[in-house]
Amino acid sequence: MNRRNFLSKSAMVAGASALPVGAALASETQTGTPKATAANKFKLLYAPHFGMFENSAGKDLVDQLKFMADNGFMALEDNGMLGRPVDEQKKIGETLTKLNMKMGVFVIDGGDNWKTSLATGKKEFLENFLKTCRTSVEVAKRVNARWATVVPGFYERRLPIGIQTANVIDALRRACDILEPHNLTMVLEPLSDTPDLFLRNSDQTFMICKAVNSPSCKILFDMWHMQRNEGRITQNMDWCWDEIAYFQIGDEPGRNEPTTGEVNYRSLFKHIHDKSKAKNQEFILGMEHGNAYKGLEGEKKLIEAYRWSDNF
């Protein structure tokens, strides 16, 4: 029996044993996926994105949010929220409130995230970044967001690394002047997509957050990117813990749900859960990954994978 079949069968057995037969039958949706009950609530705030359960819930965004909540996912993240029409943003925000769901990150992107920009210190990049931060404050108000992702762009390799770092720190301090009065925190994300990216490692991001010295500048610790760039996820997480405000998930290789790769997410989830509870903290864990299997069956397997990984 392969691992995924074992997980699928064990998750179904665990779910059946957690509820009386009558209650289990009463909690089923038309797709056969259990609705939210005290028994299937997750220990942590895992945040799916739109499209992840489209086969189960349909294309309507409100229906997708309802499906997420029905299945125990009490948070959402939407990287592209900044580009959505205002009416759609308001509708999403109102639905999240009705469902008692939390809003995770969206991305602050004025078009300069994937090129050489803030590291240069050039005025045009700084002004565009700050303008996008101001727009992001208004978006955050509509959807009740408290966190927004920031990517400082690529290296400017014609400048010494210290000068580049100082340029980025200066830009982030200016952004904090805009975000802090509105209780909006930018979470800096070190990435693994290309070695041209300025922000690559957790220790580098920790140092920059310490230098910016604002509650509105913290770390987005994406465990998929950090597995690829540096490994030792638990150790690096602990070293940076005081500056982490948000986590993201993705198994490696493949960048799909937990149990599909080499990362021991059950252990990582337990570590985050236990340490955050001890410190009276709460984190959203964004499900910034794909579905390993297609269609309705793949969405059921994804939910089962999270049930198994959350069972610590």
Side-chain angles (χ1 to χ4, degrees), residues 74-87:
M74 298 309 295
L76 167 80
E77 71 172 26
D78 182 38
N79 284 345
M81 184 68 77
L82 190 67
R84 293 189 182 277
V86 170
D87 288 348

Side-chain angles (χ1 to χ4, degrees), residues 273-307:
H273 174 273
D274 292 351
K275 189 158 186 170
S276 61
K277 292 297 180 186
K279 291 177 171 285
N280 196 30
Q281 297 171 300
E282 182 180 76
F283 293 99
I284 291 176
L285 288 81
M287 296 160 59
E288 197 188 37
H289 56 72
N291 296 19
Y293 301 93
K294 296 185 182 300
L296 183 63
E297 191 61 30
E299 293 171 7
K300 290 180 181 179
K301 286 180 178 291
L302 186 150
I303 295 171
E304 290 163 5
Y306 271 89
R307 297 244 173 268

Side-chain angles (χ1 to χ4, degrees), residues 82-122:
L82 190 67
R84 293 189 182 277
V86 170
D87 288 348
E88 192 169 75
Q89 293 171 2
K90 289 179 178 178
K91 188 175 184 180
I92 291 168
E94 290 165 1
T95 304
L96 289 171
T97 299
K98 289 177 183 176
L99 295 171
N100 197 29
M101 293 177 68
K102 295 181 183 294
M103 181 65 206
V105 292
F106 64 93
V107 179
I108 296 177
D109 186 4
D112 296 333
N113 288 9
W114 294 92
K115 61 185 180 184
T116 305
S117 53
L118 294 183
T120 67
K122 291 181 179 178

Side-chain angles (χ1 to χ4, degrees), residues 118 126 129-130 166-176 186:
L118 294 183
L126 175 62
F129 174 54
L130 297 180
N167 289 338
V168 170
I169 289 169
D170 180 63
L172 297 177
R173 285 177 174 170
R174 298 278 298 277
C176 287
M186 59 179 165

Side-chain angles (χ1 to χ4, degrees), residues 6-283:
F6 169 77
L7 293 179
S8 177
K9 290 180 183 295
S10 63
M12 287 188 288
V13 170
S17 62
L19 287 171
V21 174
L25 291 174
S27 67
E28 298 253 328
T29 66
Q30 292 180 349
T31 62
T33 306
K35 292 176 74 69
T37 67
N40 74 5
K41 294 282 187 177
F42 292 106
K43 297 183 179 75
L44 291 167
L45 285 170
Y46 306 114
H49 53 78
F50 290 123
M52 183 165 271
F53 299 118
E54 191 172 290
N55 291 283
S56 300
K59 294 186 179 295
D60 183 80
L61 300 186
V62 170
D63 288 342
Q64 290 184 41
L65 287 172
K66 289 177 180 177
F67 181 87
M68 293 173 196
D70 282 347
N71 287 276
F73 297 102
M74 298 309 295
L76 167 80
E77 71 172 26
D78 182 38
N79 284 345
M81 184 68 77
L82 190 67
R84 293 189 182 277
V86 170
D87 288 348
E88 192 169 75
Q89 293 171 2
K90 289 179 178 178
K91 188 175 184 180
I92 291 168
E94 290 165 1
T95 304
L96 289 171
T97 299
K98 289 177 183 176
L99 295 171
N100 197 29
M101 293 177 68
K102 295 181 183 294
M103 181 65 206
V105 292
F106 64 93
V107 179
I108 296 177
D109 186 4
D112 296 333
N113 288 9
W114 294 92
K115 61 185 180 184
T116 305
S117 53
L118 294 183
T120 67
K122 291 181 179 178
K123 183 179 179 181
E124 59 264 34
F125 293 120
L126 175 62
E127 288 181 346
N128 187 47
F129 174 54
L130 297 180
K131 176 185 175 182
T132 310
C133 286
R134 293 185 190 97
T135 302
S136 297
V137 166
E138 299 308 310
V139 174
K141 290 177 182 177
R142 295 181 196 118
V143 297
N144 301 313
R146 292 182 52 206
W147 305 274
T149 307
V150 164
V151 177
F154 290 179
Y155 285 106
E156 172 50 272
R157 298 187 186 276
R158 291 170 293 187
L159 292 175
I161 188 63
I163 301 300
Q164 294 183 68
T165 302
N167 289 338
V168 170
I169 289 169
D170 180 63
L172 297 177
R173 285 177 174 170
R174 298 278 298 277
C176 287
D177 291 340
I178 296 167
L179 305 178
E180 196 171 325
H182 302 281
N183 196 31
L184 181 60
T185 298
M186 59 179 165
V187 283
L188 308 181
E189 184 176 15
L191 299 168
S192 64
D193 303 86
T194 167
D196 290 325
L197 285 154
F198 173 80
L199 207 58
R200 296 266 297 160
N201 293 93
S202 59
D203 65 314
Q204 175 197 17
T205 316
F206 180 83
M207 180 273 292
I208 289 173
C209 287
K210 288 294 186 186
V212 175
N213 192 28
S214 166
S216 283
C217 184
K218 297 294 178 182
I219 299 171
L220 192 172
F221 195 99
D222 186 314
M223 292 174 276
W224 178 71
H225 286 295
M226 294 303 90
Q227 171 68 1
R228 284 156 54 93
N229 276 358
E230 60 191 27
R232 300 187 72 192
I233 297 177
T234 306
Q235 179 65 83
N236 284 305
M237 184 188 297
D238 283 350
W239 279 333
C240 297
W241 188 272
D242 290 346
E243 297 297 329
I244 295 173
Y246 197 96
F247 291 93
Q248 283 180 330
I249 303 160
D251 216 339
E252 168 64 21
R255 200 177 190 177
N256 290 312
E257 67 265 25
T259 75
T260 58
E262 67 191 17
V263 181
N264 186 351
Y265 269 106
R266 181 185 270 187
S267 174
L268 289 171
F269 290 163
K270 184 179 189 303
H271 185 74
I272 293 168
H273 174 273
D274 292 351
K275 189 158 186 170
S276 61
K277 292 297 180 186
K279 291 177 171 285
N280 196 30
Q281 297 171 300
E282 182 180 76
F283 293 99

